[in-house]
Amino acid sequence: AKMPSKGAVKAPVKKQEKPPAALVVDDAYKNANPGDTATTKGILDDAVVQSFEDAGFSEDHRLSNLKLFLGALACAFALLAQFWPSPLAPMAFPESRPLLLVCCVLYFFLSFTLQLITSFYEQSWDGQDTILFTLPPNEQSPFRSALKERRIKVSTKLARFSIDYHLTLDVHDEAGALVEKGEKVLKLTDYFEENGTFHEDFFMDDVEDVIAVLGSSLLALASKKSS
């Protein structure tokens, strides 16, 4: 066997690098990818809605019912144009041209109305999304005295790659007039860990604090008017 020469240099042995430790995710909490803005905002919006429900505010479904009615009516006109007078023997073209014209105009008018509601009433020019319309607080609500006969429009905004979650509360009276407005910027770093774990309880406490501040402002305004 050949012996290695005295001056031979041994090849350096590479040390095996340890893989980075995986971030541990706690299944007891909700989790989100911090870079996924849409999912993160969805989790925060759900927590805001839950905060209002826990505080004694029920959702006002009037706008949702109106949108469902308009959508159903548009579908009804589309079906009418296709199958009148009988699904088995619809009116032939061109005899059906006046009916098609009327149904198409009504269908596009209703669709356009739905688009207007979504674009200009449920969303604002600065990118805020309306996520909730509330009824006045129930009798068990701690905010009953401050927000009695008041409805709240809840809007939120989370820009892409931003850590600032904007929460806006517009308080309206029974006539629909705006009587008070509250705004708060909540930092994602206060509620999300590095691995995406969401501390929902801390976040919901801060949302209820925003409602409490708004209620105190309305009580102070009412006492000032009475005096």
Side-chain angles (χ1 to χ4, degrees):
K2 260 187 177 183
M3 298 292 291
S5 61
K6 193 173 180 182
V9 180
K10 292 183 179 179
V13 179
K14 291 184 178 179
K15 292 184 178 179
Q16 292 184 349
E17 295 181 359
K18 293 183 179 179
L23 294 174
V24 179
V25 177
D26 192 344
D27 292 336
Y29 294 92
K30 293 180 180 178
N31 297 278
N33 181 357
D36 188 350
T37 304
T39 302
T40 301
K41 186 178 185 300
I43 291 176
L44 294 171
D45 288 349
D46 290 343
V48 170
V49 173
Q50 187 62 51
S51 298
F52 273 87
E53 290 180 357
D54 293 346
F57 294 86
S58 298
E59 184 175 356
D60 186 353
H61 296 285
R62 289 181 299 178
L63 183 62
S64 298
N65 292 339
L66 174 62
K67 289 166 62 180
L68 287 172
F69 173 74
L70 292 177
L73 196 58
C75 292
F77 282 119
L79 292 172
L80 183 67
Q82 182 70 27
F83 297 111
W84 177 266
S86 169
L88 300 178
M91 187 184 297
F93 189 84
E95 288 80 5
S96 62
R97 184 179 294 170
L99 177 64
L100 288 173
L101 178 62
V102 171
C103 290
C104 285
V105 169
L106 290 173
Y107 176 84
F108 285 112
F109 172 75
L110 292 171
S111 299
F112 182 67
T113 303
L114 283 172
Q115 188 62 43
L116 286 178
I117 293 173
T118 302
S119 301
F120 296 101
Y121 191 72
E122 294 184 327
Q123 292 181 342
S124 61
W125 60 270
D126 60 349
Q128 291 210 4
D129 302 317
T130 301
I131 62 170
L132 179 66
F133 294 92
T134 77
L135 294 172
N138 58 37
E139 294 183 356
Q140 288 74 37
S141 172
F143 306 105
R144 174 73 176 178
S145 58
L147 295 169
K148 187 179 180 182
E149 299 180 356
R150 298 286 188 266
R151 299 172 186 267
I152 301 178
K153 175 184 175 182
V154 185
S155 304
T156 63
K157 176 185 176 182
L158 179 62
R160 193 177 182 188
F161 304 129
S162 174
I163 64 169
D164 295 334
Y165 179 79
H166 297 260
L167 176 64
T168 304
L169 308 182
D170 295 326
V171 182
H172 298 265
D173 60 17
E174 286 295 319
L178 180 66
V179 295
E180 189 61 55
K181 184 172 185 175
E183 295 178 296
K184 180 75 173 178
V185 177
L186 304 170
K187 299 287 186 182
L188 300 191
T189 49
D190 293 336
Y191 313 106
F192 285 91
E193 295 183 12
E194 187 180 354
N195 62 355
T197 299
F198 175 46
H199 292 272
E200 187 177 29
D201 48 350
F202 297 157
F203 179 77
M204 292 175 65
D205 288 342
D206 286 349
V207 172
E208 289 198 16
D209 288 343
V210 177
I211 304 173
V213 170
L214 196 60
S216 300
S217 175
L218 284 170
L219 283 176
L221 188 64
S223 61
K224 189 176 180 180
K225 284 183 178 180
S226 60
S227 62

